[in-house]
Amino acid sequence: MTRIRPKASFFDNLFSGGGNNGKVKTLIDLAKKSDRGRITENNEEMKQLIDSLRSNMKPIGEDKLKKAVNGSWVEMWTTEDAVLSFAKNGFFGEKFDFAGGSINMYENTFTNIVSFSNGRSVEADGKIKVDTDNNRVSFRFNVAKINVGGITVPLPFAAGGYIDNVYVDSKHRIGVDSRGDYRVYRRP
């Protein structure tokens, strides 16, 4: 996975205002305590905070959204069942390492990865499209693959959806996807 880094600080106040800074700090603190979503005691509070950010969200425009979202991200917390299952159960006997990916907003591509010990991973690549009316990035997977012991096995995979980026700064991204899953990311 190639890491793409944006310029820091430009985005730090892009989504601020209306009390968002306190909500974001609380979310990040709770995400750090969640063991990447495996500890669920604060999930309802986190979802309420994200819903509040979403209700106050204002479109920031295509150029700013592309600059803010472009780059590599590591998932700190999620409600998505597939990632949580990997986090809890591992993969072919290997322990979960991280979930994340890279988004290239200028080439309209992305790679999602769930990484495990010993170099094993599940990856999915695809195309994206920006909808600036709601800071949304729509995605369509092209291919998925499993990497096990130096062998890559492609899988037939067709799915798509979107994520509304309700908050982005130089270090964190918070969103809600088309299936209603909530996510908090950090830069690697």
Side-chain angles (χ1 to χ4, degrees):
M1 174 174 73
T2 304
R3 291 186 175 159
I4 307 166
R5 294 197 182 265
K7 293 181 180 175
S9 75
F10 171 78
F11 309 107
D12 287 341
N13 294 313
L14 205 55
F15 284 74
S16 64
N20 286 351
N21 292 340
K23 291 174 190 172
V24 170
K25 182 182 180 331
T26 300
L27 274 167
I28 300 309
D29 290 345
L30 292 172
K32 288 177 183 176
K33 297 174 188 174
S34 76
D35 195 19
R36 297 185 179 155
R38 291 181 275 198
I39 299 171
T40 60
E41 67 187 53
N42 295 314
N43 277 12
E44 287 309 309
E45 179 181 1
M46 293 180 73
K47 290 193 294 188
Q48 289 173 2
L49 287 165
I50 292 172
D51 286 341
S52 176
L53 287 171
R54 191 178 201 184
S55 69
N56 293 324
M57 180 179 68
K58 305 275 189 277
I60 62 169
E62 185 172 4
D63 290 341
K64 289 180 181 177
L65 184 63
K66 282 185 172 186
K67 288 176 185 175
V69 173
N70 192 64
S72 297
W73 298 95
V74 175
E75 205 160 50
M76 296 177 66
W77 173 82
T78 187
T79 60
E80 183 190 357
D81 288 337
V83 172
L84 291 173
S85 178
F86 282 133
K88 290 176 184 173
N89 303 316
F91 181 68
F92 288 116
E94 300 299 337
K95 186 179 174 187
F96 174 80
D97 187 17
F98 72 91
S102 290
I103 303 169
N104 187 324
M105 298 289 285
Y106 301 99
E107 293 182 11
N108 296 318
T109 60
F110 73 95
T111 299
N112 284 353
I113 183 169
V114 181
S115 180
F116 303 89
S117 57
N118 291 324
R120 294 181 180 185
S121 65
V122 177
E123 297 180 30
D125 300 329
K127 295 285 187 181
I128 58 171
K129 180 182 167 194
V130 176
D131 178 353
T132 57
D133 289 341
N134 48 16
N135 302 325
R136 178 173 289 173
V137 177
S138 297
F139 57 88
R140 187 89 188 137
F141 292 104
N142 294 334
V143 65
K145 52 193 167 199
I146 298 174
N147 300 310
V148 180
I151 299 170
T152 300
V153 179
L155 302 171
F157 187 63
Y162 64 81
I163 186 164
D164 287 342
N165 294 282
V166 301
Y167 179 86
V168 182
D169 67 21
S170 63
K171 297 177 186 173
H172 299 98
R173 182 166 65 101
I174 299 166
V176 180
D177 72 20
S178 51
R179 293 176 302 195
D181 290 316
Y182 293 75
R183 302 167 183 281
V184 177
Y185 298 92
R186 65 170 176 77
R187 293 283 183 190

